[in-house]
Amino acid sequence: MLRNKVPAVTALFWVTKLLTTAMGETTSDYLVKNYDPVIAVIAAFVVFAGALALQFAVRRYIPWVYWLTVLMVAVFGTMVADVLHIVLGVPYLVSTVFFAIVLAVVFVVWYRSQRTLSVHHIDTRAREFFYWCAVLATFALGTAVGDLTATTFGLGYLASGIMFGVLFAIPGVAYRWWGMGATAAFWTSYVLTRPFGASISDWLAVSHARGGLDLGAGPVSLVLFAAIVVCVIVMTARRPVDPARASAPEASPAA
């Protein structure tokens, strides 16, 4: 039996998660536009695989290891979704439905195998495996959904970011006031962090012609990375949270 290998679900957790989703979007865009896309995807996969292997190798939650893995899932997951659309020509609506089905299958198999989807009990290798499969699927799904609303539906990045920000907050409200289950609220918010963060980072980075502020993918990625480092340092410096508090109201989505 391992110690729970994911962080407590606090406000800082959600802030860091949003930062990684935002950085994953701009970093992926920067790499594929400034380097050979094939080499960029392969390199991202290698680093992602290395980070994931390191996460599986440790026997407890280590902030920098965990968040490095999440960040690389964000980068590589974005590339996977983009490859389906740009290289293979798969419409965003189709890829959204596909990734939604993949995520549903992961949840069904995970629950039938472990009888729980709770992130407060990622304390066996099997549960850790299912957890990271779900995380990767949520990133790919969120990327497809964000691109679907911003480009296919023509909402633009800022409007999409605002919309997903509101949707991201709803599960937390539903958990506190309307009796929504903690696990369902968590995973709903988790999926929505991807299009929320990515839409905002795209709005900051893309050109004026595309409805953005034209700050550039590279500079935006660097600022986001610095913010992530600060968050991880704070998490590392804090005393471990009592696992008994993990299911308390303070740990609710969008707390």
Side-chain angles (χ1 to χ4, degrees), residues 12-211:
L12 185 57
F13 169 90
W14 290 114
V15 169
T16 311
K17 175 62 168 60
L18 286 167
L19 289 171
T20 60
T21 63
M23 182 180 170
E25 178 71 18
T26 53
T27 301
S28 173
D29 288 345
Y30 178 81
L31 291 175
V32 298
K33 291 178 181 178
N34 290 275
Y35 301 95
D36 185 299
V38 175
I39 295 177
V41 172
I42 293 174
F45 172 76
V46 170
V47 179
F48 157 69
L52 189 61
L54 181 59
Q55 169 65 21
F56 272 90
V58 300
R59 298 188 63 80
R60 62 184 178 84
Y61 164 64
I62 300 175
W64 75 266
V65 175
Y66 174 86
W67 288 108
L68 172 63
T69 308
V70 172
L71 179 58
M72 290 314 304
V73 170
V75 175
F76 183 66
T78 300
M79 289 181 172
V80 170
D82 287 344
V83 164
L84 284 179
H85 178 74
I86 298 173
V87 178
L88 302 181
V90 178
Y92 286 128
L93 180 60
V94 174
S95 59
T96 296
V97 173
F98 171 75
F99 288 127
I101 293 173
V102 169
L103 181 59
V105 170
V106 170
F107 281 149
V108 169
V109 176
W110 181 359
Y111 186 79
R112 287 186 175 180
S113 171
Q114 304 298 313
R115 310 309 300 175
T116 180
L117 300 178
S118 173
V119 295
H120 306 313
H121 302 287
I122 309 300
D123 49 15
T124 68
R125 293 299 185 193
R127 290 176 181 177
E128 187 175 16
F129 171 78
F130 285 120
Y131 173 81
W132 287 107
C133 286
V135 169
L136 184 58
T138 62
F139 271 90
L141 172 60
T143 300
V145 171
D147 288 334
L148 176 68
T149 60
T151 58
T152 303
F153 292 166
L155 292 182
Y157 296 112
L158 179 58
S160 291
I162 294 172
M163 179 185 70
F164 286 119
V166 173
L167 293 176
F168 164 74
I170 290 176
V173 175
Y175 170 77
R176 286 180 177 274
W177 303 105
W178 304 331
M180 186 177 187
T183 299
F186 171 84
W187 283 113
T188 302
S189 288
Y190 200 93
V191 171
L192 289 168
T193 58
R194 184 67 183 99
F196 179 22
S199 296
I200 296 300
S201 64
D202 270 335
W203 173 64
L204 293 171
V206 301
S207 65
H208 297 302
R210 297 175 60 192

